[in-house]
Amino acid sequence: MHLRDLTQFLSELSENNTRPWFIMNKPRYDILRAEFLEVVTELIKELGSFDKQVAACDPKKAMFRIHRDVRFAKDKRPYKTHFSAGIAPLNKRRPSAAGGPTYYFHIEANGNLLFGAGEYLPPAPRLKAIREHVVNDATGFSKMLKNKHLRTTYGDLQTEDKLQRPPKGVDPNHPLVEYLKLKSFFVWVEVPLLLNAPELLVPQLASGMKDAFALVTWLRSVPENHQEQD
């Protein structure tokens, strides 16, 4: 993929985030989108070598649209300023009550690459099920957190949107209480794009996502929560 062309396009889009500008530059976008599809297709193939559950993922369904949903947003800019994709079994890349982790990455206008895996802001029933599994499988959860590859690449789970106090019904003295406050069970890392070595993008993503496989595996072991929520 022509990473310099992509970041240049996204940078210009950041400064001209309007429909007329986008229409004028749509031929550029179409070429970059096609190249991005090739990246996602190749990445799914690489992920399938260690995670059979995503081997059949449709790359077109894995890619997110560049158009923003502005119906209820204060920010009315019509376009995102990054290219992104989420890879999950059965193409279910968005959080759902049924649950399940997603591999995610995006390329930003500033030339950065973000990638990771897990469940980002899952719905209340799923989040409740994950927290219950942390308590019921404390040993397995703690072992997963100590995974050498996970720790080396990502450090710890992300704490964005973390609660100030334990959720209702959670023992404030539980040894894993800080994790029980999380609203997402996700890891990610942000690094500069290797603009001069675009051929290394897919290997870099595949290697990084493989390092998150311990978290992905643990999340897939979470039992479904069939209880109705208030």
Side-chain angles (χ1 to χ4, degrees):
M1 176 163 204
H2 294 87
L3 295 177
R4 289 191 181 278
D5 290 348
L6 174 57
T7 54
Q8 180 63 34
F9 172 83
L10 292 173
S11 178
E12 292 178 26
L13 176 58
S14 299
E15 298 174 358
N16 304 276
N17 202 327
T18 65
R19 190 167 181 273
W21 184 91
F22 188 83
I23 291 174
M24 286 287 293
N25 288 272
K26 191 159 187 305
R28 295 169 63 194
Y29 168 77
D30 289 340
I31 292 171
L32 293 167
R33 183 79 170 173
E35 291 183 353
F36 190 69
L37 176 60
E38 293 178 2
V39 168
V40 176
T41 301
E42 187 178 347
L43 177 59
I44 290 172
K45 181 179 178 180
E46 292 298 317
L47 295 183
S49 68
F50 66 84
D51 187 348
K52 302 302 182 184
Q53 291 198 35
V54 299
C57 185
D58 184 340
K60 290 184 178 180
K61 292 182 179 180
M63 298 193 302
F64 287 96
R65 299 171 69 247
I66 199 168
H67 299 81
R68 297 180 64 246
D69 184 352
V70 299
R71 290 174 297 173
F72 308 107
K74 292 183 179 179
D75 182 354
K76 297 300 182 182
R77 289 177 296 178
Y79 305 106
K80 302 171 187 174
T81 54
H82 59 263
F83 272 30
S84 57
I87 300 168
L90 304 176
N91 302 305
K92 295 182 178 180
R93 65 187 184 189
R94 299 183 184 280
S96 69
T102 297
Y103 298 100
Y104 175 83
F105 79 98
H106 72 227
I107 296 173
E108 301 176 357
N110 61 7
N112 283 346
L113 169 68
L114 182 148
F115 61 85
E119 296 192 43
Y120 184 74
L121 295 177
R126 176 63 180 176
L127 181 57
K128 184 175 187 291
I130 294 173
R131 286 171 172 162
E132 289 177 350
H133 198 48
V134 170
V135 173
N136 296 331
D137 184 37
T139 300
F141 182 76
S142 298
K143 182 179 179 181
M144 177 273 292
L145 293 176
K146 296 176 182 177
N147 179 272
K148 179 178 67 174
H149 301 290
L150 186 76
R151 301 293 300 188
T152 299
T153 300
Y154 300 101
D156 207 345
L157 301 185
Q158 286 292 326
T159 59
E160 188 176 271
D161 298 313
K162 181 180 177 180
L163 297 174
Q164 294 295 316
R165 296 182 178 83
K168 183 179 179 180
V170 169
D171 179 3
N173 296 314
H174 193 284
L176 294 171
V177 68
E178 294 305 314
Y179 292 99
L180 294 169
K181 294 179 184 178
L182 297 178
K183 296 177 71 175
S184 296
F185 285 75
F186 207 97
V187 292
W188 72 68
V189 65
E190 190 169 12
V191 297
L193 271 172
L194 301 175
L195 294 173
N196 294 322
E199 72 279 2
L200 297 181
L201 176 60
V202 170
Q204 179 183 20
L205 289 170
S207 175
M209 291 174 176
K210 186 176 183 179
D211 290 342
F213 191 52
L215 173 60
V216 169
T217 301
W218 185 86
L219 286 168
R220 286 178 181 162
S221 73
V222 175
E224 290 188 23
N225 191 327
H226 299 291
Q227 297 180 3
E228 293 184 4
Q229 303 297 308
D230 293 336

